[in-house]
Amino acid sequence: MAKKSASSESAADAAINRSLTPDDKIKLYREMVRIRRFEQVSLQHYQAGRMGGFLHLYIGQESVATGVVSLMGENDHIITAYRDHGHALAVGMTMNECMAELFGKGTGCSRGKGGSMHYFAPDKNYWGGHGIVAGQTPLGLGLAYGLKYRGLKGAALAFLGDGAVNQGAYHESLNIAELFDLPVIYVIENNGYSMGTSQARSSAFGNSLAERAAGYGIAWDTFSGEDIYEVRAHTHAAIERAHTECRPTVLEVKTYRWEGHSVADANKLKYRTKEEVELHQREHDPIQRWKRVLLDEGVCDEAELKKIDKAAQQEAEESAEFAKASAYPAPETIFEDVYWEVDQMTTAGLTGRHFFND
Amino acid sequence: MPRRITYRDALREAMDEELARDPMVVIMGEEVAQYNGAYKVTQGLWDKWGDKRIVDTPISEAGFIGMGIGASMLGVRPVMELMFWSFYTVAWDQIVNNAAMVRYMSGGKINCPIVIRGPANGGTSVGATHSHTPENIMASFPGMKCVVPATAYDAKGLLKAAIRDNDPVMFMESTKLYGEEWDVPANDELPGGELVIPLGVADIKRSGTDISLIAHGRAVITCLQAAEILEAEHGISAEVVDVRSIRPLDEETILDSVSRTHRAIYVEEGRPFCGVGAQIAYTIQSKLFDELDAPVLRVTSLDAPAIYSPPLEALQLPTPELVIEKALSIC
């Protein structure tokens, strides 16, 4: 059931990519640059001590979320793990709400209750942002179940990292996806390392991680995420399968994270070499690659792209100012958003004691 | 003659009525459909409602519970059976991190209208792995609700309310009660035309003046038996308070009872350490210290994993004799 990876040239010729207008192509560039600038600015403020917890950066992987999300239609839904900033911005969440969440402010997308790993925007079909490795994979299955139950033609795109493929919840999800014919697409973003453990040291596999899907009778595909044309061409086939056949797919996208597992990863240059990281930064940067495509195709000129870079940088810096200037949530909000019935002050929410503070 | 039905039938009626009321309600779990339920709670529902509404899942608790939680985010209302509540352990990450926490972590953008139901009891000689009573664990997580009905009447009314609730409800039954019968009026005998019991409302199962026996689940039945003997043989009038719902909790009814009787024992089939009784005893002493004529006591399962050996297991669980002994020690 596996398909051979299309070369970049043939990926560019795929109908789904030929249909891109120059504006669409520039938009893809803008989205990737916005994600990178947002994260670079967030890193500065993290290092300045303005944020708590962890910061898992997506830098180097931007083409994957951007490419996949660019294919999403009205009834396509997305869910991911804790490296979630890129997906959030790609679906249209604003830098302000995302940055403010990192600062723990009340204006954050989760009102300061979730932090970096827990961004959500159900109004944009974005269901998080999940902290436990592979914990989101059954939820993605459930989104697909919900779509099918409601008779909607859609797909649930459930992202996971290469470190998540050995969790039981993921395998249980694959089994049920096939048994119940659910339109879920598991997108393994394989950046080569599950925290500090390389793929070879963490996973038993033959040729690829996605190939495990064959054991469940699920279609699978593996390809490079460096070129957004490729991401779109391969993912489009999976979305078509979900829409027309109501069947699952496992996609494995080869990608690379430039930073550590999180910013707190002190060993980021111990489990891999500096040369390896630099090689990816120099020769496999998805943004630079797309930039070359745009210039080669004559979609726009360098000056225009510089303008986009500058605007993204400014937007990111402004979002940090917005976050700084925002207020922390009021202490009484600690007890909000725990129970729906309590928040809505329904009869059920007003019956019996829900909180036990004294 | 009032209608008498079993606890099992009451649960089935509740699901059947909610399936009819709301097309988004789906029953799912292991053996719930074609097999008619491991304990026959869902018997006949698949024949009546078919594949879309009554769904057999593989033995894959993390997978299907997580799937139900995900589906609930899109408006489906899954009622998921754990063949034994003991199996919560293999679905625990989905229950606690996803169902209970996703609303909070999303700043209130999401809610999970799910019910997870099944038996949670010891006393059937199935060993420690199948005898867990995790209501104290479930109730300790804000975001989750926890309900433990003791009678068929409560089982029906509480399950209907749980299915309508828009938060995740952990609903715990007892295999020892499934075959017991109680009065449960038919819908046409009820003023509102149906039986719905709000969560968070306790029920005085027996009025008394000398001591409050407070309990949940099957321990309520144990207390009622103890109360009869206390009255007949010792002239002690025991009030039996069934909390029914642990979270939300009806503290008012508990405190009102104890403020009249001035003595309280919490009885449960769970373990003592951090048990439900620990929380309630704390509340009673902190709010009614001056009203108490004796320390608040507890009767729980003996503090060891559930033993297999049938005669010993009977000693491990709360019995009317133990409740009477404790009551006599403070009355």
Side-chain angles (χ1 to χ4, degrees):
Chain A
M1 270 184 250
K3 286 192 207 148
K4 279 194 174 164
S5 292
S7 70
S8 190
E9 292 73 32
S10 64
D13 288 336
I16 190 70
N17 288 328
R18 282 204 312 274
S19 70
L20 288 168
T21 65
D23 279 352
D24 292 336
K25 292 179 183 180
I26 292 170
K27 184 170 184 286
L28 291 171
Y29 179 81
R30 184 183 298 114
E31 289 310 319
M32 287 197 286
V33 170
R34 285 179 71 244
I35 294 167
R36 183 160 302 179
R37 294 291 184 265
F38 172 85
E39 291 206 314
Q40 286 169 335
V41 169
S42 72
L43 175 59
Q44 292 165 11
H45 292 277
Y46 182 86
Q47 286 168 334
R50 297 190 183 98
M51 297 170 192
F54 300 125
L55 189 71
H56 303 91
L57 297 177
Y58 195 59
I59 295 173
Q61 304 183 204
E62 295 93 340
S63 49
V64 186
T66 305
V68 171
V69 169
S70 70
L71 297 163
M72 283 173 61
E74 190 189 350
N75 291 316
D76 297 321
H77 292 255
I78 177 172
I79 187 165
T80 189
Y82 45 81
R83 198 177 303 285
D84 62 348
H85 307 157
H87 310 74
L89 293 174
V91 300
M93 290 177 75
T94 68
M95 281 198 196
N96 279 0
E97 63 182 320
C98 290
M99 191 67 84
E101 187 62 28
L102 298 179
F103 279 67
K105 299 299 180 74
T107 51
C109 52
S110 297
R111 306 179 73 201
K113 288 175 171 161
S116 164
M117 300 188 281
H118 308 114
Y119 286 1
F120 295 86
D123 62 323
K124 298 177 174 67
N125 293 1
Y126 179 55
W127 298 94
H130 293 267
I132 303 296
V133 173
Q136 78 282 9
T137 54
L139 297 183
L141 186 71
L143 292 169
Y145 189 95
L147 286 167
K148 187 173 180 182
Y149 189 84
R150 300 178 71 149
L152 297 169
K153 189 172 167 178
L157 292 140
F159 286 73
L160 60 153
D162 49 297
V165 300
N166 302 316
Q167 291 275 42
Y170 170 59
H171 287 268
E172 294 193 28
S173 301
L174 292 182
N175 182 55
I176 297 175
E178 152 61 26
L179 273 180
F180 288 7
D181 285 327
L182 295 179
V184 61
I185 300 166
Y186 287 105
V187 183
I188 305 166
E189 293 190 79
N190 184 352
N191 62 26
Y193 297 90
S194 52
M195 197 166 156
T197 304
S198 69
Q199 191 184 322
R201 291 176 59 229
S202 64
S203 295
F205 63 100
N207 300 303
S208 76
L209 300 177
E211 193 179 3
R212 289 176 177 183
Y216 294 98
I218 293 175
W220 59 278
D221 194 1
T222 178
F223 52 91
S224 165
E226 192 179 322
D227 175 13
I228 212 160
Y229 276 145
E230 257 199 81
V231 174
R232 283 173 48 88
H234 290 264
T235 307
H236 176 67
I239 291 176
E240 282 295 293
R241 180 176 297 115
H243 286 186
T244 60
E245 299 169 36
C246 202
R247 294 281 300 151
T249 305
V250 172
L251 301 175
E252 177 184 356
V253 192
K254 302 279 173 47
T255 184
Y256 197 82
R257 71 166 145 78
W258 294 9
E259 300 296 329
H261 166 69
S262 78
V263 177
D265 176 0
N267 292 333
K268 67 176 179 179
L269 293 177
K270 287 185 181 162
Y271 53 82
R272 55 187 187 176
T273 64
K274 191 165 173 255
E275 290 70 32
E276 179 185 303
V277 178
E278 285 173 354
L279 176 74
H280 280 88
Q281 292 174 332
R282 201 171 56 241
E283 294 180 20
H284 302 285
D285 178 352
I287 296 182
Q288 288 305 315
R289 171 137 183 183
W290 190 240
K291 183 178 174 177
R292 283 197 300 277
V293 169
L294 297 184
L295 295 174
D296 290 350
E297 290 184 6
V299 169
C300 58
D301 59 24
E302 195 128 9
E304 202 169 337
L305 297 179
K306 278 216 173 94
K307 245 168 74 182
I308 290 171
D309 295 348
K310 215 175 145 189
Q313 179 70 26
Q314 194 183 339
E315 186 187 0
E317 285 172 9
E318 284 171 5
S319 74
E321 291 309 312
F322 169 82
K324 261 196 229 172
S326 293
Y328 284 106
E332 54 269 26
T333 64
I334 288 173
F335 303 108
E336 294 171 2
D337 309 320
V338 180
Y339 293 103
W340 185 94
E341 301 284 358
V342 173
D343 292 337
Q344 308 299 317
M345 294 195 286
T346 61
T347 305
L350 296 169
T351 304
R353 186 173 179 188
H354 287 75
F355 298 98
F356 296 82
N357 292 299
D358 55 28
Chain B
M1 275 288 282
R3 188 181 73 137
R4 283 180 77 77
I5 61 170
T6 63
Y7 189 100
R8 174 188 284 116
D9 292 338
L11 292 165
R12 184 187 312 115
E13 273 191 8
M15 286 186 273
D16 188 38
E17 289 176 21
E18 294 306 297
L19 283 159
R21 188 188 59 83
D22 183 349
M24 297 310 278
V25 172
V26 178
I27 310 296
M28 51 173 78
E30 294 152 10
E31 312 290 8
V32 299
Q34 300 189 24
Y35 192 90
N36 279 310
Y39 284 100
K40 305 299 173 209
V41 173
T42 54
Q43 187 151 33
L45 292 180
W46 180 65
D47 281 341
K48 178 171 177 183
W49 294 102
D51 288 332
K52 184 168 183 184
R53 310 293 301 281
I54 315 292
V55 182
D56 275 329
T57 67
I59 299 174
S60 184
E61 285 85 2
F64 83 78
I65 298 277
M67 180 177 76
I69 296 165
S72 79
M73 303 192 309
L74 285 187
V76 181
R77 302 183 79 90
V79 179
M80 294 173 279
E81 177 173 302
L82 283 173
M83 191 182 291
F84 293 85
W85 249 106
S86 289
F87 304 160
Y88 81 93
T89 49
V90 282
W92 184 227
D93 177 53
Q94 295 302 314
I95 298 170
V96 70
N97 281 316
N98 291 342
M101 305 295 166
V102 74
R103 175 166 186 77
Y104 202 67
M105 292 196 304
S106 67
K109 289 175 175 171
I110 299 172
N111 65 298
C112 293
I114 60 160
V115 175
I116 302 177
R117 54 153 290 272
N121 59 281
T124 54
S125 304
V126 287
T129 57
H130 286 55
S131 302
H132 289 288
T133 49
E135 54 270 33
N136 59 328
I137 295 173
M138 300 302 145
S140 71
F141 286 91
M144 281 202 256
K145 298 179 178 179
C146 182
V147 181
V148 191
T151 69
Y153 181 87
D154 291 336
K156 181 173 179 184
L158 289 168
L159 184 54
K160 282 169 66 81
I163 293 170
R164 296 178 192 191
D165 200 280
N166 287 299
D167 294 305
V169 182
M170 309 299 126
F171 194 93
M172 299 189 186
E173 304 155 9
S174 170
T175 56
K176 305 274 276 186
L177 297 177
Y178 280 151
E180 301 286 313
E181 286 190 346
W182 279 271
D183 291 352
V184 182
N187 284 344
D188 56 15
E189 298 172 83
L190 290 161
E194 62 176 343
L195 177 58
V196 182
I197 299 171
L199 313 189
V201 180
D203 184 40
I204 309 251
K205 288 277 191 287
R206 183 185 198 277
S207 295
T209 53
D210 300 333
I211 185 169
S212 300
L213 304 176
I214 312 158
H216 66 267
R218 197 170 71 98
V220 172
I221 310 304
T222 308
C223 289
L224 287 169
Q225 291 163 350
E228 291 301 318
I229 298 168
L230 282 167
E231 181 94 67
E233 297 181 12
H234 304 279
I236 292 169
S237 164
E239 179 148 299
V240 176
V241 182
D242 176 2
V243 301
R244 297 200 288 202
S245 155
I246 295 167
R247 188 172 191 145
L249 180 68
D250 179 359
E251 282 188 355
E252 223 169 283
T253 297
I254 295 168
L255 295 173
D256 177 63
S257 173
V258 180
S259 66
R260 286 185 282 103
T261 63
H262 311 289
R263 289 177 177 82
I265 300 176
Y266 199 89
V267 185
E268 63 182 312
E269 295 193 355
R271 300 297 184 287
F273 197 96
C274 297
V276 175
Q279 170 66 29
I280 289 177
Y282 164 78
T283 304
I284 293 170
Q285 64 79 30
S286 80
K287 298 201 170 165
L288 292 180
F289 191 71
D290 290 334
E291 291 284 347
L292 289 172
D293 286 345
V296 180
L297 300 182
R298 296 187 294 163
V299 177
T300 66
S301 278
L302 300 184
D303 200 13
I307 193 166
Y308 160 68
S309 180
L312 267 69
E313 193 190 25
L315 298 178
Q316 194 168 10
L317 291 162
T319 58
E321 292 70 32
L322 280 168
V323 176
I324 292 162
E325 191 186 315
K326 287 256 170 157
L328 292 176
S329 78
I330 52 170
C331 284

